[in-house]
Structures are given as structure tokens and as C-alpha cells.
Amino acid sequence: MTILSIHGDNPLADGRQSERAMKVRRGVQRLLAELRHAVLPELTLASGRRADLISLSAKGEIWIIEIKTSIEDFRVDRKWPEYRLHCDRLFFATHGDVPLDIFPEECGLLLSDGYGAHMLREAPEHRLAPATRKSVVQSFARTAAQRLMLAEWAAERNGELGESIRDIVAGTRDS
């Protein structure tokens, strides 16, 4: 998938992430899919911070994964403790060229090679309050639905939808 299009026809990519961060993200997304999590990249939280990845497990557990691609990337970013207010478990994800000992023990740790990822350390659980959980899940669902709709519209504009999908989107298959 293209990271950035000058035509603005890909609603699923915003172009802010480096190639290396996208590679880490792809591996982590594959791991989370294997764990039966629904995954959403770049979700803006109620605090105004943007989670690199947020996932919802089959049991309803909310994970936030903060991607770090270098020592400097980790050291200059001190906003990560705020993510705990919006998830049950907080993880860092990185690649093999970053020393793993820089990441705090109180967070989970994922190592990605771009094709998959491994959980090196479980994240401790910090259960969300019910009202916060409801707010995060609603934001997750609304954002995912909005992005799906925009992706369908972009695919239709670009001629990427087959006739059967066009029928489903148009509602003509419902009768």
C-alpha cells in the first residue's frame, strides 16, 4: 500500500510514518491479527494524543502499542505514560537494530521484523474504568467504520471494486 499519494486517494495512509515505522507496524499488526485482535492505526485519543496502534481483543481488552524505531525516537518522546489512561495494557514495539534495554520494564515489549512480531515481554494489566472503556471502544468503532467507508469510496473511484461488491455497497443485493 502506498504511504502517500499526491492525489489524496488513499484514506488509509496519512504519510506521517517513516518506512521503518511502517515495517514495524506491519509486523505487529500481523501478530495482533494472529491473536484475534481488531487493530486500528493512528487513533486520536480523548487526551488529544495519537496512538500508533490500538487493538481490541476478542475478550474486549484494549492494548496500545507505541512504535519506536531508534534510541533517539524513544528518548525524545515522553508522552507515552499518558497512553496508560486509555488502555488495559501498554506495549512498545521496535525492530532488531534498537537496544531492547532502553524500554521500561513496566510496559510490554514487541519485536517486529516487518513480516511478523514476537512478544518479548507481557504488559502488566491496568484495567480501565467502565466509562473510559466505553469511550475508547466507541471511538475505535466510529473511526474504523469511517475509514472503511472512505476506503470503499476511494476503491470505487479508482475502479478497484468488482461488480458484486458494487451491488453490495449499493444495496441491490439485499433483496
Side-chain angles (χ1 to χ4, degrees):
M1 176 178 351
T2 306
I3 293 176
L4 181 63
S5 169
I6 60 171
H7 304 292
D9 58 356
N10 185 349
L12 302 180
D14 64 13
R16 291 182 277 197
Q17 299 76 27
S18 69
E19 187 175 327
R20 181 162 266 179
M22 292 298 287
K23 185 176 177 182
V24 171
R25 180 170 113 177
R26 184 176 59 240
V28 171
Q29 286 173 310
R30 289 176 178 170
L31 171 66
L32 292 171
E34 288 172 12
L35 296 173
R36 298 183 51 229
H37 283 233
V39 184
L40 195 59
E42 304 300 331
L43 179 69
T44 301
L45 305 168
S47 65
R49 299 285 187 208
R50 196 179 72 240
D52 291 335
L53 285 173
I54 187 165
S55 74
L56 185 61
S57 76
K59 294 179 182 178
E61 196 171 67
I62 298 167
W63 293 7
I64 289 180
I65 298 91
E66 178 68 1
I67 296 171
K68 295 296 171 203
T69 58
S70 68
I71 295 171
E72 186 66 17
D73 185 16
F74 175 74
R75 292 213 170 117
V76 299
D77 181 5
R78 288 291 161 218
K79 67 185 183 301
W80 65 265
E82 296 176 36
Y83 292 137
R84 275 221 173 90
L85 303 173
H86 307 280
C87 64
D88 296 308
R89 296 182 191 266
L90 177 61
F91 290 84
F92 282 98
T94 193
H95 56 88
D97 294 336
V98 178
L100 302 178
D101 60 352
I102 67 170
F103 297 104
E105 292 286 327
E106 66 266 20
C107 297
L109 185 58
L110 305 172
L111 184 63
S112 171
D113 64 5
Y115 299 99
H118 299 283
M119 187 178 302
L120 300 179
R121 183 171 59 233
E122 282 273 353
E125 183 180 53
H126 301 75
R127 297 292 293 172
L128 287 175
T132 304
R133 177 177 309 286
K134 179 180 178 182
S135 174
V136 173
V137 170
Q138 284 180 333
S139 177
F140 185 102
R142 290 181 54 80
T143 301
Q146 184 72 19
R147 289 182 188 173
L148 177 60
M149 180 182 68
L150 293 173
E152 285 180 353
W153 289 353
E156 188 172 20
R157 272 193 318 273
N158 296 333
E160 297 168 7
L161 292 180
E163 288 306 313
S164 61
I165 297 296
R166 285 185 210 284
D167 291 342
I168 292 168
V169 171
T172 56
R173 274 262 178 111
D174 296 339
S175 46

